Amino acid sequence: MAITHWLSLIFAGIGCDAKLAYEFHVTRQEKPEKFSSQFVNKLRYAKEGARDIMDRACADLPWQVWLEVDGKDVQIPKDTEGLIVLNIGSYMGGVDLWQNDYEHDDDFTLQSMQDKMLEIVCVRGAWHLGKIQVGLSQARRLAQGNVIRIHASSSFPVQIDGEPFIHQPGCLEIKHDSQVFMLRRTLEEPRGHAVAIMTEVLADAECKGIINTSQRKILLQQLALNLS
Ligand SMILES: *[C@@H]1O[C@H](CO)[C@@H](O)[C@H](O)[C@H]1NC(C)=O
């Protein structure tokens, strides 16, 4: 099944950033009075961040997600817990995630709304994201390109333009198409179900001491590679 969305601008996150947004969104719908001001939102964000470090829900992201930019594989650093795709200069209260104003020793170009390119940065988790927001740290620049494909072998929280949802195993494609960016989600239900079972079996095996954490991660990575 393929779902196509049309977007006027892109800001998409997968992983810890999206997980926070998702929890936020759910709480906001339940208790709108709790989110009366942006200031309160920021406080909540910090608190949710702390919780995220504890449960490390997205720590397996580099083993379960495979990033493809313009047909080329892009290595996701092993400490990544969130990927953010952007084509706008600011994010969350004016933080310049692509760091246009800094000197860099990579070959990426300045971010521009006109070039039909998308930029991808990664963050190491909610705590890192919090530090980025207050200017104490920077996101890591990962890639730049026209067609971004994110293959996931398990379910992940994703947010697109502030709308969070749970992305089922499959491929998320973001590209520029004449005027607007287009997003396509391909859901592979039967395969996703099999992966969910495998993931659980591996987690159980680790719990029982049959395999260790690094073995589980290697197996998950193999699974992701074979399914993509
Ligand atoms: C996990 O087990 C493998 C195989 O026995 C071993 O090589 C590796 O060092 C172990 N890793 C950890 C973190 O214990």
Side-chain angles (χ1 to χ4, degrees):
M1 176 173 45
I3 303 170
T4 303
H5 293 254
W6 294 91
L7 300 166
S8 52
L9 61 87
I10 281 274
F11 163 72
I14 176 166
C16 65
D17 152 69
K19 175 175 174 280
L20 295 181
Y22 184 75
E23 288 178 354
F24 237 48
H25 182 71
V26 171
T27 319
R28 188 183 277 138
Q29 281 177 335
E30 285 168 357
K31 300 188 179 93
E33 72 283 359
K34 276 180 94 175
F35 296 90
S36 50
S37 75
Q38 247 192 323
F39 180 70
V40 175
N41 270 7
K42 272 190 181 160
L43 286 181
R44 288 269 309 166
Y45 220 99
K47 209 171 135 217
E48 296 289 341
R51 205 175 79 200
D52 194 62
I53 295 164
M54 300 213 253
D55 64 22
R56 293 182 64 81
C58 292
D60 280 343
L61 187 142
W63 289 271
Q64 309 225 355
V65 168
W66 169 46
L67 176 65
E68 190 190 330
V69 177
D70 295 340
K72 292 199 190 80
D73 290 1
V74 174
Q75 195 75 32
I76 300 175
K78 295 294 181 240
D79 56 0
T80 300
E81 293 190 22
L83 292 178
I84 300 169
V85 179
L86 52 151
N87 84 317
I88 48 174
S90 71
Y91 159 74
M92 288 201 309
V95 178
D96 175 17
L97 279 179
W98 192 247
Q99 305 139 56
N100 279 306
D101 297 337
Y102 289 80
E103 298 250 337
H104 297 277
D105 53 8
D106 53 34
D107 298 328
F108 300 130
T109 60
L110 281 180
Q111 187 174 35
S112 146
M113 295 273 286
Q114 278 79 46
D115 65 3
K116 302 186 177 183
M117 296 260 268
L118 289 161
E119 282 76 29
I120 302 165
V121 297
C122 65
V123 295
R124 292 192 301 271
W127 187 241
H128 186 206
L129 201 59
K131 280 167 79 177
I132 292 168
Q133 275 181 284
V134 295
L136 287 175
S137 189
Q138 268 105 43
R140 177 151 161 191
R141 291 155 48 121
L142 261 195
Q144 205 171 26
N146 297 107
V147 183
I148 315 294
R149 289 203 188 96
I150 297 170
H151 305 266
S153 63
S154 65
S155 298
F156 267 94
V158 171
Q159 69 153 314
I160 310 275
D161 282 345
E163 269 308 297
F165 60 91
I166 296 290
H167 174 58
Q168 300 302 316
C171 177
L172 192 69
E173 184 182 272
I174 304 168
K175 67 177 177 189
H176 198 279
D177 186 75
S178 63
Q179 294 299 312
V180 291
F181 283 98
M182 195 171 79
L183 176 89
R184 169 169 296 207
R185 276 198 281 160
T186 318
L187 306 180
E188 295 170 49
E189 293 295 352
R191 195 178 273 188
H193 185 63
V195 170
I197 292 171
M198 281 298 293
T199 306
E200 227 162 77
V201 167
L202 290 175
D204 188 52
E206 187 192 340
C207 258
K208 290 177 176 152
I210 299 166
I211 56 173
N212 64 29
T213 308
S214 43
Q215 287 166 328
R216 177 175 58 86
K217 288 184 170 178
I218 290 166
L219 291 169
L220 279 177
Q221 195 171 23
Q222 287 299 322
L223 197 63
L225 285 175
N226 284 308
L227 285 174
S228 49

